[in-house]
Amino acid sequence: MQRPNILYIHSHDTGRYISPYGHAVPTPNLQRLAEQGAFFRRAYCAAPTCSPSRAALLTGQSPHSAGMLGLANRGFQLRDFRQHIIHRLKAAGYTSALAGIQHLNPSWRPNAASEVGYDRVLTDQHSQAHTAAVDFLRSAPPEPFWLTVGFFETHREFPLENDVDPAYVLPPTPMPDTPDGRQDMANFIAMAQILDDKIGQVLRALDECGLRDNTLVIYTTDHGLAFPGMKCNLTDHGIGVSLIMQGEGLFAGGRVIDAMVSHIDIFPTICDLLDIEAPDWLQGTSMLPLLRGEADSIRAELFAEVSYHAAYEPKRAVRSERYKYIRRYDQRQGPVLSNIDDGFAKSELLAAGFGERPPAPEQLYDTLLDPVERNNLVDDAEYAPVLADLRARLDRWMRETDDPLLQGAVPAPPGSFLNSPDAASHREPTQPAKAGNTL
């Protein structure tokens, strides 16, 4: 069997805010990819924070199982690089190449990308990711290959000078429709258009080189937008992600998949597709039964987590088809502001008193009747059986995956550097973590 090449494209902080999901964010190249491929409407990350999310996708397990509890640019790293999917593919005859961001170990270390195990590091500079990928495709690379193309877009800072008129823009769902919110979203849209153009250049090179017919293209993002209540939050605003997979056969024809899937399902799906042995650490489920029409659903629930972002903010969540349960493991009397990216939207909410609102220790949402996840049902007696069920599911998952949070506060690795949870911004001075310290 001729195994397909795999082109894995990932962006920062995009959520589902691209045109295939119905948003007024012009992304024609991603729209075309969705219309040609398998388009997942209800895909979720395993962590709404950058490095843990990517680690989960690339190892097929929860971030805490992979040992990726915080950000690579803050000194965290994957526990075992041999669990990265490229090593399983290498054993099956694949060559691996990286263009742009990989985000699984500190980029300041010499040969950081090579340490992960890539055969070729085309560039680890995100600004050159698309051109390096195009050059690689035009070089007649040996097949089959796995090519990672990691974009910085749509991470803040957004371009302040652009042609998007904020008068005709709607802020993302959790945000009020105000001039500041519209301006912030307009700037996001401008960056999303840059992302889409760069992705288009890579996809055109794939076509021009005659590689499209034997390549599985995977596009996704790490988590939700860098707005308050989205990135670093366990509501669907934070964990809902874009996922498009396009290729021959099962991944063709503009198929729309409405079943819940998790990033950790991608690794087992690839093993199933290529008929290679799946490693025993995988916690996800193959999506091929959905694509073959053999099942309407592959999972009764999915899980997500946060341990560290700029600061420590331990919380876990379980989402069923209808309900979402979130549990915090701190005693905060206000939000962890350093885990919210600075911008017009954040400043506006802080001026309105957002910083003085204590987060609920537990949250329960009926996502069918309350898709915005605003009405916390924890104290509603009618939902007591649902609450008990989801608490039990979350507890079971934490035990089965040996979540370190069960043993108490999770320390950061020595040498990492963090903001205080009381800091107002991630731009405030950081402190080095010491053994056993969470700051």
Side-chain angles (χ1 to χ4, degrees), residues 58-74:
L58 292 165
T59 68
Q61 58 190 324
S62 68
H64 65 259
S65 297
M68 196 77 195
L69 296 169
L71 300 178
N73 54 300
R74 295 298 186 105

Side-chain angles (χ1 to χ4, degrees), residues 130-299:
H130 61 300
T131 55
V134 167
D135 290 344
F136 173 81
L137 295 172
R138 289 174 175 166
S139 71
E143 300 181 65
F145 59 77
W146 164 284
L147 172 60
T148 293
V149 188
F151 290 106
F152 177 77
E153 293 87 1
T154 48
H155 198 289
R156 289 184 187 268
E157 298 293 327
F158 304 147
L160 299 180
E161 300 294 329
N162 58 73
D163 297 328
V164 181
D165 189 340
Y168 307 104
V169 164
L170 184 67
T173 299
M175 301 303 302
D177 185 2
T178 63
D180 279 349
R182 290 194 292 270
Q183 183 63 67
D184 225 358
M185 189 61 181
N187 297 343
F188 166 85
I189 291 171
M191 187 177 263
Q193 290 174 313
I194 295 170
L195 169 68
D196 186 74
D197 178 69
K198 290 181 176 181
I199 290 174
Q201 293 181 49
V202 176
L203 295 179
R204 283 192 294 276
L206 197 67
D207 287 331
E208 291 164 2
C209 297
L211 295 168
R212 178 66 75 99
D213 289 346
N214 191 40
T215 299
L216 173 63
V217 180
I218 303 171
Y219 166 71
T220 191
T221 184
D222 48 6
H223 46 66
L225 277 61
F227 281 74
M230 302 186 78
K231 179 179 179 178
C232 211
N233 283 267
L234 294 173
T235 59
D236 283 6
H237 308 303
I239 66 172
V241 293
S242 310
L243 177 60
I244 305 168
M245 302 176 74
Q246 189 273 326
E248 291 292 291
L250 297 175
F251 302 95
R255 305 179 62 190
V256 177
I257 309 295
D258 280 306
M260 287 196 313
V261 298
S262 170
H263 269 167
I264 67 170
D265 298 329
I266 292 175
F267 195 150
T269 300
I270 290 173
C271 290
D272 195 3
L273 177 70
L274 303 182
D275 194 25
I276 60 178
E277 183 179 359
D280 58 9
W281 66 77
L282 294 186
Q283 297 170 1
T285 303
S286 172
M287 297 183 284
L288 290 194
L290 297 173
L291 294 161
R292 292 182 180 129
E294 299 167 355
D296 296 325
S297 174
I298 59 169
R299 50 173 58 251

